[in-house]
Amino acid sequence: MNTRQLEPAGPARPRTLHPILRQALPRLPRVRPARRPVRRRAPPPRSPAAPALKIVAVVLAVLVVVGAAAGAWLVHSMGPAFGIWWPAPNPQSYGSRVLDLMDSGIHATGQEWARARADAAARIERAATHDEVDAILTDALAVAGGKHSFMLDAGEAQDLVDSYTAPTSSMNGCVLTVTVPGFAGTAKQGEEYATTLADALGAEGVCGVVVDLRDNDGGDMGPMLAGLSPLLPDGTVTSFVIQGATSDVTLKDGAISGGGTPTSVGARGKLDVPVAVLTSATTASSGEQTLLAFRGLDNVRVFGAPTRGYASVNQEYPLYTGRTMVLTTGTSQARTGERFGEEPIAPDVETPPDGAPAAAAEWIASRS
């Protein structure tokens, strides 16, 4: 039996029409198969905040860098005026910065200061230590600030704290005498000082007050004026005039601000009695400021000797060496409009210092 081997089926071959049939059939338009539309996937929507957040982040980074640089510059340039010395200066840089501070001194004008400053700058260039520079600066300070300016060692400042003397009081009949000594102690001592004075002035039956400033050689005026606040009207007590600008020392409800350490004894009743103030050649600086607080008030009279003449205004600058430069920068102005600086303040009634209490008592008796 013959067998035929079948070949595997391949792809179908296209059939062609006979030429006669092809001509007989009408031509049909060729139709192209429709293409499936391609759907493009839309990109994910962008958050409108994303670019803004990047901008904010960049701005913040720039601000941080700029702020840090500006802060460092401020500390370097302004810090010495507040006792901040960063970075640690070498002797020459240190001396130059302190001379800059001295330019605000009350006498830091004219040819005398120009010569003194140039001489100090030249000597500072040759100095090997900061202590050598301080010795040079002390000479320059006497010119820039005058007689009321000085350098204070750390040990001397501590001695002032250790030698704290509290105010005292005594009553003779109905006349109360309060002694107001110099003060340069701690804040706690200042509160005690002021409270001692204010409490004494709260005594019953007082017909007159003697304020004894004869041994007051200065220090911190804040506790002095706060303690004497029952004798002073609220408002401007005195004023400072520094480089043409005026700033007031004010009293309100037993609190002093604007001069010395801000100190308060709380609201106290006011004493409406004759007040005699005693002065001497020892009365100086904050002692004179306390005297000026009474100037121009009715029912007040000053007895004794002219003061020392240190009513000018001082500014303290802590130095890199641990010392404090006390520089005179202005004058004082009483509520009368009078200005006082380096001239003694005369009393209303000049007497020997020892005779001032008797003269004061006699005047108070005549007013009672």
Side-chain angles (χ1 to χ4, degrees):
M1 182 174 175
N2 294 330
T3 59
R4 293 180 66 182
Q5 186 175 353
L6 298 176
E7 293 180 359
R13 294 180 182 180
R15 295 180 180 181
T16 58
L17 292 174
H18 191 278
I20 296 175
L21 292 174
R22 191 167 50 223
Q23 290 178 4
L25 290 172
R27 289 187 177 232
L28 297 174
R30 180 179 286 180
V31 179
R32 293 183 180 179
R35 292 183 180 180
R36 282 182 77 182
V38 179
R39 293 184 180 178
R40 295 185 179 178
R41 185 174 296 175
R46 282 189 177 183
S47 169
L53 287 175
K54 287 183 179 180
I55 294 172
V56 170
V58 171
V59 171
L60 286 176
V62 171
L63 288 176
V64 167
V65 173
V66 172
W73 179 83
L74 280 174
V75 170
H76 176 70
S77 60
M78 304 295 293
F82 303 95
I84 302 172
W85 296 87
W86 181 89
N90 60 33
Q92 285 66 43
S93 174
Y94 164 66
S96 176
R97 301 304 302 279
V98 178
L99 285 176
D100 290 344
L101 295 175
M102 285 189 196
D103 285 335
S104 61
I106 194 171
H107 297 301
T109 57
Q111 292 300 313
E112 183 180 5
W113 171 238
R115 288 191 298 269
R117 198 187 199 287
D119 175 68
R123 293 165 62 193
I124 287 169
E125 285 300 313
R126 301 189 297 270
T129 68
H130 295 86
D131 285 338
E132 286 183 46
V133 172
D134 274 358
I136 298 167
L137 293 172
T138 299
D139 294 338
L141 180 62
V143 179
K147 68 178 185 178
H148 198 185
S149 301
F150 56 95
M151 289 285 192
L152 183 66
D153 288 335
E156 292 174 325
Q158 186 58 47
D159 288 343
L160 292 173
V161 172
D162 294 340
S163 60
Y164 166 68
T165 301
T168 60
S169 62
S170 61
M171 187 82 83
N172 183 8
C174 62
V175 177
L176 174 68
T177 297
V178 290
T179 60
V180 186
F183 171 75
T186 64
K188 183 178 180 180
Q189 289 172 332
E191 292 176 3
E192 177 188 329
Y193 181 107
T195 301
T196 298
L197 280 173
D199 288 349
L201 291 169
E204 295 290 337
V206 174
C207 65
V209 176
V210 177
V211 178
D212 193 346
L213 300 176
R214 288 177 296 171
D215 292 328
N216 190 323
D217 56 359
D220 188 344
M221 65 186 289
M224 300 177 194
L225 296 182
L228 294 171
S229 60
L231 301 176
L232 301 169
D234 282 7
T236 299
V237 176
T238 185
S239 301
F240 300 148
V241 182
I242 302 174
Q243 296 181 347
T246 301
S247 62
D248 295 333
V249 181
T250 59
L251 170 64
K252 183 178 180 181
D253 296 332
I256 283 288
S257 60
T261 300
T263 309
S264 175
V265 294
R268 306 277 182 131
K270 301 294 185 179
L271 272 175
D272 184 16
V273 296
V275 177
V277 183
L278 312 184
T279 62
S280 74
T282 301
T283 308
S285 193
S286 287
E288 289 169 298
Q289 296 291 345
T290 304
L291 168 64
L292 293 179
F294 289 93
R295 198 169 184 89
L297 296 181
D298 295 335
N299 223 18
V300 172
R301 183 162 289 194
V302 182
F303 299 85
T307 63
R308 190 184 297 181
Y310 284 71
S312 48
V313 179
N314 281 350
Q315 176 70 44
E316 295 184 358
Y317 296 97
L319 301 181
Y320 177 71
T321 54
R323 297 181 176 91
T324 298
M325 178 176 72
V326 182
L327 175 67
T328 302
T329 57
T331 58
S332 299
Q333 180 173 288
R335 60 170 56 83
T336 58
E338 301 166 282
R339 291 189 181 182
F340 301 88
E342 297 179 327
E343 296 297 323
I345 303 173
D348 297 316
V349 179
E350 188 163 351
T351 68
D354 291 343
E362 182 179 347
W363 174 76
I364 289 174
S366 71
R367 306 281 294 184
S368 300

mmCIF file of all heavy atoms in Angstrom, residues 103 246 263 273 364-365:
data_model
loop_
_atom_site.group_PDB
_atom_site.id
_atom_site.type_symbol
_atom_site.label_atom_id
_atom_site.label_comp_id
_atom_site.label_asym_id
_atom_site.label_seq_id
_atom_site.Cartn_x
_atom_site.Cartn_y
_atom_site.Cartn_z
ATOM 1 N N ASP A 103 36.970 107.287 73.316
ATOM 2 C CA ASP A 103 36.568 108.395 72.449
ATOM 3 C C ASP A 103 35.235 109.010 72.869
ATOM 4 O O ASP A 103 34.892 110.106 72.415
ATOM 5 C CB ASP A 103 36.478 107.923 70.999
ATOM 6 C CG ASP A 103 37.847 107.742 70.357
ATOM 7 O OD1 ASP A 103 38.809 108.401 70.804
ATOM 8 O OD2 ASP A 103 37.962 106.934 69.414
ATOM 9 N N THR A 246 19.794 113.769 76.433
ATOM 10 C CA THR A 246 19.390 113.811 77.843
ATOM 11 C C THR A 246 18.595 112.556 78.199
ATOM 12 O O THR A 246 17.673 112.174 77.476
ATOM 13 C CB THR A 246 18.518 115.045 78.125
ATOM 14 O OG1 THR A 246 19.256 116.227 77.786
ATOM 15 C CG2 THR A 246 18.121 115.116 79.591
ATOM 16 N N THR A 263 16.339 100.127 91.765
ATOM 17 C CA THR A 263 16.045 99.694 93.133
ATOM 18 C C THR A 263 14.653 100.145 93.527
ATOM 19 O O THR A 263 14.229 101.259 93.173
ATOM 20 C CB THR A 263 17.070 100.278 94.131
ATOM 21 O OG1 THR A 263 18.395 100.005 93.666
ATOM 22 C CG2 THR A 263 16.896 99.685 95.516
ATOM 23 N N VAL A 273 7.429 117.538 105.115
ATOM 24 C CA VAL A 273 8.056 118.228 106.251
ATOM 25 C C VAL A 273 9.298 118.950 105.738
ATOM 26 O O VAL A 273 9.807 118.645 104.656
ATOM 27 C CB VAL A 273 8.446 117.237 107.367
ATOM 28 C CG1 VAL A 273 7.214 116.562 107.957
ATOM 29 C CG2 VAL A 273 9.436 116.196 106.846
ATOM 30 N N ILE A 364 14.968 124.058 110.788
ATOM 31 C CA ILE A 364 13.763 123.200 110.828
ATOM 32 C C ILE A 364 12.813 123.702 111.927
ATOM 33 O O ILE A 364 11.591 123.753 111.728
ATOM 34 C CB ILE A 364 14.145 121.728 111.070
ATOM 35 C CG1 ILE A 364 14.822 121.174 109.808
ATOM 36 C CG2 ILE A 364 12.913 120.890 111.421
ATOM 37 C CD1 ILE A 364 15.368 119.762 109.968
ATOM 38 N N ALA A 365 13.386 124.078 113.082
ATOM 39 C CA ALA A 365 12.540 124.578 114.172
ATOM 40 C C ALA A 365 11.795 125.831 113.746
ATOM 41 O O ALA A 365 10.620 126.047 114.130
ATOM 42 C CB ALA A 365 13.415 124.847 115.394
#
